[in-house]
Amino acid sequence: MAVDASSSASPAATAGWPSLPLLPPIVKTSRVIGPLMARTCAPRPCLSTMGLATSKVAQVWHLLGHTPLATASAPALNGLRLGLIWLHRALVLAAMVAAPFMGTGVIGGLVWAGFAVLVARWLTGRASFRFCLIDNWVLLFFATAAVSAMFSSYMATSMVGLVKLLTFLAAYLNARVLVADEAEAPRWPFKWLWLLSLLIIALGTFEAVVGLWQYQHRVQPLATWQDPELNPELQLIRVFGTLKPANPNLLAGYMIHCLGLGVGVSLMAWLTRQWGWAVLGTGACGLMAEALVLTGSRGAYLALAAMGGLTFLWVGHLLWHQADLKPLVRLKVAWLLAALAVVGVVLTAVLVMPALQNRLLSIVAFREDSSNSFRMNVWSSTWAMIKDNWLVGIGPGNNTFKLVYGLYMVPGYTALSAYSIFLEIWAEQGLFGLLAFLLLWLVMALRAVGVLFTRATLTTQLWAGTLIVGLASSTVYGLFDTIWYRPSVNTLFWFLVAGLAQVTTDVFAQTAADVADKTEAAP
């Protein structure tokens, strides 16, 4: 899909940042970084970014799209293709709707059903997307899990865990193809990215309303999610929504993704003067933010801080350097006032809610807080596991982790996970898996930032910021918990990755085409 650059921003201005010292003057290097990102991030037809192995992947992908069924053009087959397209879309939507209400089995079943239809779409030639560097590293990350399973001391158990983990790869491919399904709507860029994001925001808003109702009626979760030694007057009523199991941390992990998309879509509406959508989106974000605070999840509080800071930097860069926004001084003042208002609301909430104060202070209580102490004991045991299985890991899956963890655990501190996605990935998939995940993150960050130095439209640049900020917030949350591995949360994470891959691929493809046109036109 080509990116419309006719109304887009000009290359980033070369002026400094004298009026906003908090934002780094990275724009001065845009004349160098822009063409460099266009050359290094533009998709190659043969996937040459990873050499021969990547070329083989491209060849297989090409063959899947040129089977006898794919090249046939009978009316009946055309009807079949159209039916498969809409069935695939329906299953992807069903999986997203089921995420906050159903168990892991139902969600996983819908994801795999969607993937089965996706395979049928490939065989009939109606499922394709342009491979990019993000796709390569996603595949490599899951490949390390397969290697770890094959070398695991508990191979049978690890193979079961591998199948569960590959559910997330199937969810990624489902989303990747769906957000690329835009040939029928060239006037609506990122059509399915918009539709799926609006659905996720609506679901997050519903969960927020349920959470607020639980708070007002003092509904307690089934398990104890408070320090038992804490004064009851300082205990926060923690909401948990409708997700299963009833875990406030799980709701927080789910809501982080919903709120990230809500903030991004609302900002797009404000900056493009879609006032009705802007007011509606801002109200939804307010509800989700309030419910997120009431989950009592300290990891979510850190994720919220990361989301706020990164959003401030990203939008601030656009306000001061995007061609359409640079002249709007009042908008810059409004943005700074809005940021100060958000900080004021946060400080007021902390001051008037002693339970929230106590919850925030417990983050730095270390061993004095029972939850912190429990996590630190689990981290210590997990690190001991890593030292003995550092290269290829113990094998994927919570059951594999449980079997091996029992050999290293501190007595009395049983756990089903490492309570940190980085420790979990290293323990299960080894150093190769951890490096693949970190390099995937590096590639995503570089490509997202690179969009700022292209002639992409304002909306496209906001999409890139929305997706990378949402991913960063989710990852910050994952530093201290592993609900990231729950299908209701993990499928949203890989949806954001798929969206970022599509947005950046379109942008850099158009940028490369523009550079080629200028080269041909040059004397």
Side-chain angles (χ1 to χ4, degrees), residues 95-114:
M96 287 194 169
V97 172
F101 307 110
M102 301 296 178
T104 58
V106 174
I107 301 171
L110 288 171
V111 169
W112 280 111

Side-chain angles (χ1 to χ4, degrees), residues 1 129 176 179-180 182 190 497-507:
M1 188 196 82
F129 60 87
R176 187 72 176 87
V179 296
E182 298 176 13
F190 313 124
V497 176
L500 184 63
Q502 182 64 30
V503 169
T504 57
T505 299
D506 284 354
V507 169

Side-chain angles (χ1 to χ4, degrees), residues 324-372:
D324 296 336
L325 302 179
K326 281 179 64 176
L328 305 179
V329 177
R330 292 182 179 179
L331 188 59
K332 298 173 185 177
V333 174
W335 174 245
L336 294 176
L337 291 176
L340 290 175
V342 170
V343 173
V345 169
V346 172
L347 291 177
T348 301
V350 173
L351 290 175
V352 301
M353 294 180 65
L356 182 58
Q357 291 180 33
N358 180 78
R359 195 68 182 163
L360 288 170
L361 290 174
S362 69
I363 294 176
V364 293
F366 300 107
R367 288 288 184 180
E368 295 180 7
D369 181 84
S370 63
S371 178
N372 291 354

Side-chain angles (χ1 to χ4, degrees), residues 189-515:
F190 313 124
K191 171 184 175 181
W192 283 99
L193 181 58
W194 275 104
L195 293 176
L196 292 174
S197 297
L198 291 175
L199 173 62
I200 293 168
I201 294 168
L203 291 170
T205 305
F206 174 81
E207 288 297 319
V209 172
V210 172
L212 294 175
W213 181 87
Q214 291 171 341
Y215 181 80
Q216 290 295 329
H217 292 79
R218 308 183 70 85
V219 178
Q220 296 290 341
L222 298 179
T224 301
W225 301 101
Q226 298 279 4
D227 188 335
E229 300 178 0
L230 186 64
N231 183 341
E233 295 182 358
L234 296 178
Q235 291 186 2
L236 182 68
I237 300 174
R238 303 185 62 185
V239 302
F240 51 93
T242 64
L243 279 82
K244 303 184 182 347
N247 182 344
N249 293 333
L250 181 59
L251 176 62
Y254 181 82
M255 295 283 287
I256 282 292
H257 298 82
C258 301
L259 180 59
L261 288 171
V263 170
V265 170
S266 298
L267 286 171
M268 291 180 213
W270 283 112
L271 294 177
T272 56
R273 302 182 180 182
Q274 302 292 325
W275 308 123
W277 284 105
V279 172
L280 187 63
T282 302
C285 289
L287 290 173
M288 287 189 283
E290 184 178 1
L292 193 56
V293 169
L294 294 177
T295 62
S297 172
R298 294 166 294 183
Y301 297 162
L302 297 176
L304 274 174
M307 183 185 298
L310 291 173
T311 300
F312 178 76
L313 293 174
W314 194 278
V315 177
H317 174 87
L318 293 176
L319 288 173
W320 264 260
H321 296 90
Q322 212 269 352
D324 296 336
L325 302 179
K326 281 179 64 176
L328 305 179
V329 177
R330 292 182 179 179
L331 188 59
K332 298 173 185 177
V333 174
W335 174 245
L336 294 176
L337 291 176
L340 290 175
V342 170
V343 173
V345 169
V346 172
L347 291 177
T348 301
V350 173
L351 290 175
V352 301
M353 294 180 65
L356 182 58
Q357 291 180 33
N358 180 78
R359 195 68 182 163
L360 288 170
L361 290 174
S362 69
I363 294 176
V364 293
F366 300 107
R367 288 288 184 180
E368 295 180 7
D369 181 84
S370 63
S371 178
N372 291 354
S373 181
F374 175 84
R375 278 171 167 75
M376 294 171 74
N377 286 328
V378 174
W379 293 339
S380 176
S381 301
T382 303
W383 179 245
M385 293 166 54
I386 290 172
K387 288 192 292 185
D388 289 343
N389 304 273
W390 63 273
L391 187 59
V392 295
I394 63 174
N398 60 304
N399 289 327
T400 303
F401 185 93
K402 182 170 63 175
L403 290 171
V404 180
Y405 179 81
L407 305 175
Y408 296 87
M409 62 178 282
V410 176
Y413 291 90
T414 59
L416 298 178
S417 65
Y419 286 93
S420 171
I421 60 172
F422 293 99
L423 287 177
E424 186 89 15
I425 291 171
W426 196 351
E428 293 189 0
Q429 297 173 230
L431 182 62
F432 295 131
L434 179 63
L435 289 177
F437 186 74
L438 293 176
L439 288 171
L440 168 63
W441 239 112
L442 177 63
V443 168
M444 291 192 299
L446 287 176
R447 289 174 69 89
V449 173
V451 171
L452 292 175
F453 304 107
T454 67
R455 294 181 58 85
T457 62
L458 172 61
T459 300
T460 301
Q461 291 178 332
L462 286 169
W463 263 124
T466 297
L467 295 168
I468 196 64
V469 169
L471 289 167
S473 304
S474 174
T475 306
V476 168
Y477 184 91
L479 286 170
F480 307 103
D481 210 332
T482 43
I483 51 88
W484 187 76
Y485 280 92
R486 289 280 182 178
S488 54
V489 174
N490 203 278
T491 51
L492 293 185
F493 177 88
W494 291 111
F495 166 70
L496 297 183
V497 176
L500 184 63
Q502 182 64 30
V503 169
T504 57
T505 299
D506 284 354
V507 169
F508 291 124
Q510 182 62 35
T511 303
D514 292 342
V515 171

